[in-house]
Amino acid sequence: MADKIQIKDGKLIVPDQPIIPFIEGDGIGPDIWAAAQRVIDAAVEHTYHGARKIEWLEVLCGEKSFNKNEEWLPEETLETLRSHYVGIKGPLTTPIGGGIRSLNVALRKELDLYACVRPVRWFRGTPAAILNPQRVDFVLFRENTEDVYAGIEFENGSDEANKIIELMTEFNQSDKIRFPESSSFGIKPISKEGSIRLFDAALNYAIDNNRKSVTIVHKGNIMKFTEGYFKKWTYAHAEEQYGDKVFTWAQYDRIQEEKGIEAANAAQKKAILDGKIIIKDVIADAFLQQILLRPNEYDVIATMNLNGDYLSDSAAAAVGGIGIAPGANINYKSGHAIFEATHGTAPKYAGLDKVNPSSVILSAVMMLSYMGWKEAANSIEYALEKAIFNKKVTYDFHRLMDNATLLKCSEFGDEIISKFS
């Protein structure tokens, strides 16, 4: 009998027939969701032979919701997602005009989905932008609720902007505003609590999945009290709460200062041999270069909202593009999670049965793993890679491959299903 997913003692309780809410999505959403749903159902049936099955429950959001009831994000949808804990969605359009700035941001905010999780890896045969894409295999944890995405802005010429200028004058900071009359302002909140819970999620993922390092990516050399404190707080938290499991570059620096570089190198080498996770940090602009030149040096990434937005899309481009990039928004404390296609709605392709459904399919892989159904998740990932390796692909990959077979969106779903073994 179908039932809701529950949470008990901080752990998901997943019935054999869980009810999973889904948002079809706008633009190409119906096309890619139709393909993805068939793949998910086929994988579950193939893996568990009828012992498990997902009961899908559509909830409305985006254009489909607005056209039906003139609400972009109904409270009923939020309540259903809250009460069922796990959901999945296609891409959503950004409403024009006032009100909601972004439906994706609104969902994350309302459900406090503080960790955006973006695994980045190469699938054999995928056309890639770098020479050795097989070296790319890391998971990016992006803080989802703070930073510039908190939406605190003041328009130039407004009373609020003028008050900001007055305040900067009072603080003797007005000389830093080059053109005050035409300047708009944004405020960037970065909190200790928000930083630590995001870092906890990243580090616990590394521990649970036998990863070797967590890299803190920041711009603390310039923004010393926001991004700089993100680095400071997370280093301190790692040492205080995970001391027997980690070795940080902050520890390395202290040992080097007290005992010299040889002692610091020896301590880090011992930590690696002991199986400790190395906690390190990189300036954001340098990291954008290094994930292209030395991607194999990175394992799990912890960063703030805006950095994470840039980095996740850039990393995806290196191994095939955002069309094949999965994503999840998770609150690891409450258990709530929404898995999503990470690309846009591409309205010019809507209804053409053309685009690559891999982003939402691989997001479903993440969802199944989160539910504990890892066997079904693995079967989809294996079959999708086999389809690409055999050069049976949608137009985005077809135009970059020699001697490939062009498939429609729905046909690519069929191809994946045919590869279950």
Side-chain angles (χ1 to χ4, degrees):
M1 180 178 177
D3 202 357
K4 297 178 184 179
I5 291 175
Q6 302 289 336
I7 192 164
K8 184 177 181 181
D9 299 327
K11 294 185 178 181
L12 288 183
I13 307 299
V14 181
D16 288 336
Q17 295 185 48
I19 302 169
I20 305 291
F22 73 93
I23 297 169
E24 188 177 54
D26 300 324
I28 57 173
D31 285 352
I32 63 173
W33 174 250
Q37 185 177 344
R38 287 190 298 105
V39 169
I40 301 163
D41 288 342
V44 171
E45 172 60 31
H46 167 81
T47 306
Y48 304 115
H49 309 290
R52 290 176 174 174
K53 181 181 179 181
I54 293 174
E55 184 76 23
W56 297 106
L57 172 64
E58 183 173 13
V59 292
L60 296 179
C61 186
E63 288 181 341
K64 190 171 185 178
S65 174
F66 187 79
N67 292 338
K68 183 174 181 179
N69 54 34
E70 297 187 346
E71 289 185 273
W72 289 101
L73 179 52
E75 182 59 37
E76 180 183 356
T77 293
L78 288 171
E79 184 51 40
T80 300
L81 291 168
R82 286 191 191 100
S83 63
H84 288 71
Y85 285 96
V86 175
I88 189 167
K89 59 178 280 294
L92 293 172
T93 192
T94 298
I96 297 173
I100 298 174
R101 298 173 66 194
S102 164
L103 292 168
N104 293 321
V105 172
L107 284 166
R108 296 165 192 167
K109 180 180 178 182
E110 291 295 329
L111 298 171
D112 196 24
L113 304 174
Y114 61 83
C116 178
V117 186
R118 296 279 294 271
V120 183
R121 58 154 290 199
W122 181 68
F123 291 90
R124 289 184 311 146
T126 304
I130 60 177
L131 290 176
N132 297 295
Q134 70 276 6
R135 296 185 302 166
V136 178
D137 183 10
F138 57 79
V139 181
L140 191 145
F141 282 74
R142 166 192 175 191
E143 202 288 322
N144 238 352
T145 64
E146 299 189 323
D147 205 350
V148 295
Y149 284 81
I152 307 170
E153 290 189 304
F154 305 106
E155 187 178 8
N156 63 85
S158 67
D159 290 343
E160 294 85 355
N162 290 332
K163 288 179 181 178
I164 293 289
I165 294 170
E166 292 174 8
L167 188 63
M168 292 301 100
T169 301
E170 182 182 334
F171 289 162
N172 296 318
Q173 299 290 322
S174 59
D175 60 328
K176 295 182 179 179
I177 307 173
R178 185 65 58 88
F179 303 107
E181 292 79 9
S182 64
S183 291
S184 296
F185 298 92
I187 294 178
K188 174 190 179 78
I190 302 290
S191 70
K192 183 176 182 180
E193 294 85 353
S195 299
I196 285 175
R197 68 178 184 172
L198 182 280
F199 180 78
D200 262 339
L203 182 50
N204 282 316
Y205 178 91
I207 293 169
D208 293 342
N209 291 275
N210 298 313
R211 296 281 185 154
K212 295 180 180 179
S213 69
V214 176
T215 303
I216 303 159
V217 179
H218 62 94
K219 193 66 177 172
N221 56 328
I222 303 298
M223 291 169 275
K224 300 183 185 299
F225 302 138
T226 52
E227 305 213 7
Y229 266 76
F230 179 85
K231 169 190 169 182
K232 179 180 178 179
W233 285 324
T234 50
Y235 264 141
H237 180 72
E239 293 181 19
E240 291 168 6
Q241 300 298 321
Y242 299 87
D244 61 334
K245 296 180 180 179
V246 304
F247 182 83
T248 74
W249 276 10
Q251 288 175 282
Y252 180 95
D253 289 342
R254 291 196 299 270
I255 295 171
Q256 181 179 355
E257 185 176 339
E258 294 172 6
K259 301 180 180 179
I261 192 169
E262 290 187 5
N265 287 337
Q268 180 165 295
K269 183 177 181 180
K270 183 178 186 305
I272 293 171
L273 291 173
D274 289 344
K276 291 188 177 184
I277 294 171
I278 304 300
I279 311 297
K280 52 189 177 178
D281 73 279
V282 179
I283 301 297
D285 47 329
F287 185 75
L288 277 166
Q289 174 185 234
Q290 291 174 17
I291 57 175
L292 299 178
L293 299 177
R294 309 201 303 268
N296 53 306
E297 295 181 9
Y298 300 101
D299 223 349
V300 178
I301 315 302
T303 191
M304 287 145 293
N305 212 330
L306 185 59
N307 289 336
D309 200 358
Y310 297 149
L311 295 172
S312 58
D313 285 7
S314 175
V319 292
I322 199 169
I324 197 171
N329 301 287
I330 302 174
N331 184 318
Y332 285 93
K333 298 181 183 298
S334 72
H336 290 96
I338 296 178
F339 299 82
E340 64 178 357
T342 58
H343 52 71
T345 59
K348 70 177 182 178
Y349 294 121
L352 299 182
D353 193 19
K354 183 174 182 176
V355 299
N356 191 338
S358 294
S359 179
V360 72
I361 290 173
L362 290 171
S363 296
V365 168
M366 295 179 70
M367 182 187 77
L368 292 168
S369 294
Y370 184 72
M371 292 163 50
W373 294 13
K374 293 186 178 181
E375 303 88 355
N378 292 339
S379 69
I380 295 175
E381 204 166 33
Y382 169 82
L384 185 145
E385 184 168 40
K386 197 169 183 180
I388 295 172
F389 185 72
N390 289 342
K391 297 187 175 184
K392 295 184 178 181
V393 292
T394 48
Y395 85 100
D396 53 328
F397 288 172
H398 179 264
R399 62 189 175 183
L400 300 174
M401 290 178 167
D402 295 326
N403 303 315
T405 301
L406 176 62
L407 300 181
K408 297 178 180 179
C409 174
S410 57
E411 292 172 337
F412 185 69
D414 293 336
E415 183 64 22
I416 293 173
I417 292 170
S418 74
K419 294 295 182 288
F420 291 152
S421 60

